[in-house]
């Protein structure tokens, strides 16, 4: 291993940390190598130990310090984080602000920027961790608005809540009011993400049942893998790609939903459309009511409901001929 | 040496090294390593913690065509170092009282 490989692996091992913390750590060791000089590189590599071991030390320190946020009076308050072994369900609700969910071995929470108060409760009996991120102070909202309007010269960081969770939870439920949700990668039995007015991005979710809803916001689900998936778009825009073994429910009243899946061997669909438009694999089913496909028993089943919006289900590797027919 | 070096002692050693003059990660590590046997990576979390607690802050200065990050003591860091030195004296005294069984040294 040379110093560049060391730094790369270190960055990888520190994935659970917020970006600026990770950058600071990697930069420190990059400078460390430079100050030691090329002639001491090998010796330093030996002295440092493996990137995983170095990262473990940094993460341990971050854990000890994590979960604190600056209250309006400027003091650091601690957020309770439950034990990994007792944790089975996670329910997060956030009025505004950004919620990042990352995969990690042990649960933790980091707050960047001037955060809102967080209520953290854990119910031992059901293993449920409830995180309630309350409204950010008015000053923060004002400065975020100014940032948005590009009035302020130096962009200031808004509150970002990075929540690290282990794989294998029974339930992950997140509800974001005006804020946004980003889930990077997670395997859980039941995943329910709901962005009322904000945006939602979820990548690499492995779940038995997935439920994603953007009432007025926009949502992007990528590389989903599961049995049943429900996409609900009120007036929002939904883009989905991934695999669904059993049923894909889509319900969009005035929004637009675009779902892309690997071409299944067989499939079925049921469609209910008001004045909207629905298409499956390039075939248009416009202005229909209660229509069903030709293979009622086949899986996956696409259960498509749309009022005035539009739904398009497409398959990968569509042949040229199919595309022309459409 | 077989005595373990706890977090509080490491904090104090780092603060003391930086109090002599503003210094950077590599140099601080080498100086602390003269006193206690810590690995080359041990001090990063310590420096980060001291920085978060407001005992140290950093600035970048150009050196040989690149940036070097210097650590310096804050007012809070100076106070903390003074406290640590006092603590250490009383800690040493009580350890030695037991260790030497009250023998006059």
């Amino acid at each position: 291993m040379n110093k560049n490989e060391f730094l790369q692996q270190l960055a990888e091992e520190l994935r659970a940390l917020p970006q600026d913390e990770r950058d600071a750590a990697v930069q420190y060791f990059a400078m460390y190598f430079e100050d030691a000089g090329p002639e001491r590189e090998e010796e330093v590599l030996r002295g440092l130990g493996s990137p995983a071991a170095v990262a473990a030390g940094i993460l341990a320190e971050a854990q000890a310090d994590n979960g604190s946020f600056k209250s309006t009076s400027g003091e650091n308050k601690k957020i309770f984080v439950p034990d990994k072994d007792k944790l089975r369900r996670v329910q997060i609700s956030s009025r505004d602000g950004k919620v990042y969910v990352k995969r990690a071995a042990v649960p933790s929470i980091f707050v960047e920027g001037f955060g809102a108060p967080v209520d953290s409760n854990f119910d031992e009996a059901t293993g449920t961790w409830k995180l309630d991120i309350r409204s950010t102070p008015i000053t923060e909202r004002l400065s975020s608005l100014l940032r948005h309007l590009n009035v302020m010269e130096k962009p200031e960081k808004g509150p970002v809540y990075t929540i690290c969770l282990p794989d294998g939870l029974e339930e992950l439920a997140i509800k974001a009011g005006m804020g946004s949700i980003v889930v990077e990668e997670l395997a859980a039995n039941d995943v329910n993400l709901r962005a009322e007015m904000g945006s939602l991005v979820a990548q690499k979710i492995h779940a038995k049942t997935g439920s994603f809803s953007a009432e007025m916001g926009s949502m992007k689900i990528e590389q989903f893998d599961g049995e049943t998936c429900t996409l609900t778009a009120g007036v929002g825009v939904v883009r989905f790609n991934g695999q669904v073994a059993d049923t894909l429910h889509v319900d969009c009243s005035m929004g637009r939903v675009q779902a892309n899946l690997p071409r299944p061997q067989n499939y079925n669909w049921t469609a209910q459309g008001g004045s909207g438009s629905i298409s499956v694999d390039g075939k248009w089913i416009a202005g229909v009511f209660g229509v069903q496909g030709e293979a009622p028993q086949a899986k996956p089943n696409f259960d498509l409901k749309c009022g005035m919006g539009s739904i398009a289900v497409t398959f990968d590797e569509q042949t040229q001929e199919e595309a022309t027919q459409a | 040496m077989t005595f373990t070096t706890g977090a509080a002692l490491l904090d104090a050693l780092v603060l003391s090294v930086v109090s002599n003059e503003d210094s950077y990660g590599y140099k601080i590590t080498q100086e602390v390593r003269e006193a206690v046997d810590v690995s080359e990576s041990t001090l990063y979390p310590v420096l980060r913690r001291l920085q978060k607690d407001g005992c140290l802050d950093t600035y970048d200065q150009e050196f040989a065509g690149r940036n070097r990050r210097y650590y310096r003591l804050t007012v809070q860091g100076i106070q903390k170092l003074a406290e640590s030195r006092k603590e250490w004296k009383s800690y040493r005294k009580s350890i030695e009282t037991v260790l030497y069984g009250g023998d006059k040294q």
Side-chain angles (χ1 to χ4, degrees), chain A residues 237-251:
Chain A
V237 177
V238 177
R239 272 177 298 163
F240 169 91
N241 82 58
Q243 299 196 52
V244 176
D246 194 285
T247 308
L248 176 68
H249 299 278
V250 180
D251 191 341

Side-chain angles (χ1 to χ4, degrees), chain A residues 227-295:
Chain A
E227 284 180 27
T228 305
C229 183
T230 305
L231 305 173
T232 313
V235 293
V237 177
V238 177
R239 272 177 298 163
F240 169 91
N241 82 58
Q243 299 196 52
V244 176
D246 194 285
T247 308
L248 176 68
H249 299 278
V250 180
D251 191 341
C252 89
S253 48
M254 289 168 71
R256 273 191 302 138
V257 177
Q258 156 90 54
N260 186 59
L261 299 91
R263 176 172 292 284
Q265 288 211 313
N266 206 355
Y267 63 90
N268 183 52
W269 50 264
T270 51
Q272 284 186 33
S275 51
S277 70
I278 298 179
S279 78
V280 177
D281 196 19
K283 296 180 200 62
W284 288 91
I285 317 157
V288 288
F289 205 83
V291 184
Q292 190 162 281
E294 289 132 28

Side-chain angles (χ1 to χ4, degrees), chain A residues 196-208:
Chain A
E196 275 154 14
M197 287 167 72
S199 69
L200 192 158
V201 177
Q203 291 174 18
K204 296 186 190 166
I205 303 269
H206 285 243
K208 195 161 174 249

